[in-house]
Amino acid sequence: MVLGLSAKKEKIDATAGVSLTASAWKRLKRSPVFLTGAVIIGIFIAVSALSPWLAPHDPASPMLIDQVVKARNEIPVAQPGHPLGGDLQGRDFLSRLLVGSQQTLIVGVGATVIGLTGGLILGTLAGALGGWVDSFVMRIVDVMLSLPSLLLAFSIAAMFARPSQFTVILAVSIVQIPVFARLLRGSMLAQRHSDHVLAATALGVKKGAIVFRHMLPNSLGPVIVQSTLVLATAIIEAAALSFLGLGNPDDRVPEWGQMLGDVQKVFDTHPHLAAWPAICIIIVALGFTLMGETLREALDPKNRR
């Protein structure tokens, strides 16, 4: 009996004091789904950062223009020095694909950061103040969430006279704001009745200090995890806007969605020009989704063992 109690005590001591973050990280390291997503995202970020040096040629230089015959719809084929051939303007396709990854990352991260910032402001106001402020903010959020996200982003981007990369970032970020706002507001409402908030209130701590020192820091976990999932959505929606001609009109700066839009007229004869950027978008979005879903499951206290 004594030995059994001793073994049980040792087992309890071995697991005591392990934080939720440490427990989550322990599970993530053993998750093949998380590792797969992390590898995909790691490669994508590395290629994006190093793309100006990895690209074998200038993505804006029409060095293969002499092989383009528009009358017969001919473009440069794969050849030494140009493994993926060229595009309709005689530019090296591999170089444009590599450099396009950087622009895609900039758009996705920029839209997510702006959307996260706006959502934090609205969610904090709604969750901290409550009352009519909460009702007003949430009604705006409900209206925005009632519209399909891509349709809303399309409508916002179409309002600008001159489409650009910034208008795409702004349109996609506005669509993401209500997602973050609702999530943060819910987390802060849950924190309002927690023990540490009640204790701080009983000690006479000012409401501003309670919000920014106790409620907000403990509510950011789910929001940060959600940002990885939103990154995947932002990349897809930005590519869709560029595909529809609402992105950067300067094709000297390649972007995967823009590259998809450029080949609409020749898709029947040269489908590979659309296949490569489409595959890249799908893989990157899958990587962010896999990593985000596993992060959310790992940080859920209900799944803690």
Side-chain angles (χ1 to χ4, degrees):
M1 174 70 89
V2 175
L3 291 176
L5 291 174
S6 177
K8 186 175 181 180
K9 182 178 180 181
E10 289 179 359
K11 184 177 180 181
I12 294 174
D13 292 340
T15 57
V18 178
S19 66
L20 178 60
T21 304
S23 177
W25 175 242
K26 186 177 180 180
R27 292 197 298 272
L28 288 174
K29 290 191 296 184
R30 300 195 303 264
S31 172
V33 176
F34 174 79
L35 295 177
T36 301
V39 169
I40 292 174
I41 300 310
I43 295 174
F44 172 57
I45 293 175
V47 171
S48 301
L50 301 175
S51 59
W53 296 275
L54 293 176
H57 305 285
D58 181 0
S61 176
M63 58 182 60
L64 301 175
I65 191 63
D66 57 324
Q67 301 180 33
V68 176
V69 182
K70 294 185 178 180
R72 296 196 297 269
N73 210 14
E74 294 181 2
I75 62 172
V77 297
Q79 53 194 276
H82 306 279
L84 297 183
D87 66 356
L88 299 172
Q89 308 298 327
R91 298 167 296 196
D92 182 63
F93 194 73
L94 176 61
S95 299
R96 293 182 62 77
L97 199 64
L98 292 172
V99 176
S101 65
Q102 187 177 74
Q103 300 303 314
T104 300
L105 179 63
I106 291 173
V107 172
V109 172
T112 302
V113 169
I114 296 175
L116 176 61
T117 303
L120 287 178
I121 295 173
L122 293 180
T124 302
L125 288 174
L129 300 179
W132 69 268
V133 176
D134 182 20
S135 299
F136 178 73
V137 171
M138 285 300 101
R139 295 301 76 75
I140 296 176
V141 168
D142 290 340
V143 170
M144 295 180 69
L145 290 175
S146 66
L147 301 173
S149 59
L150 186 56
L151 178 61
L152 181 58
F154 179 86
S155 302
I156 295 171
M159 293 171 60
F160 295 93
R162 290 186 177 183
S164 64
Q165 187 181 67
F166 175 73
T167 60
V168 172
I169 293 176
L170 189 61
V172 175
S173 64
I174 292 176
V175 172
Q176 309 302 342
I177 288 176
V179 177
F180 290 117
R182 177 180 283 269
L183 184 59
L184 180 61
R185 180 249 188 187
S187 297
M188 292 193 69
L189 289 179
Q191 289 290 324
R192 182 179 293 178
H193 301 291
S194 61
D195 293 340
H196 61 93
V197 172
L198 294 176
T201 304
L203 291 172
V205 180
K206 293 183 178 180
K207 189 172 183 179
I210 293 176
V211 170
F212 292 104
R213 293 182 184 178
H214 299 279
M215 295 176 64
L216 184 59
N218 288 286
S219 302
L220 289 178
V223 179
I224 294 174
V225 172
Q226 182 66 27
S227 65
T228 59
L229 297 171
V230 168
L231 255 171
T233 305
I235 289 175
I236 294 174
E237 291 179 348
L241 293 179
S242 297
F243 174 79
L244 295 172
L246 295 173
N248 188 2
D250 186 4
D251 62 356
R252 293 175 299 177
V253 182
E255 191 267 331
W256 288 344
Q258 178 197 74
M259 294 172 68
L260 282 172
D262 290 342
V263 301
Q264 293 183 68
K265 296 180 180 179
V266 296
F267 178 77
D268 292 338
T269 54
H270 305 292
H272 69 282
L273 294 180
W276 283 110
I279 291 172
C280 291
I281 292 172
I282 293 171
I283 292 176
V284 170
L286 177 64
F288 279 113
T289 302
L290 293 177
M291 194 166 66
E293 289 290 348
T294 50
L295 274 173
R296 182 164 60 184
E297 292 176 1
L299 291 172
D300 188 349
K302 296 178 182 178
N303 297 328
R304 192 177 183 185
R305 295 183 178 89

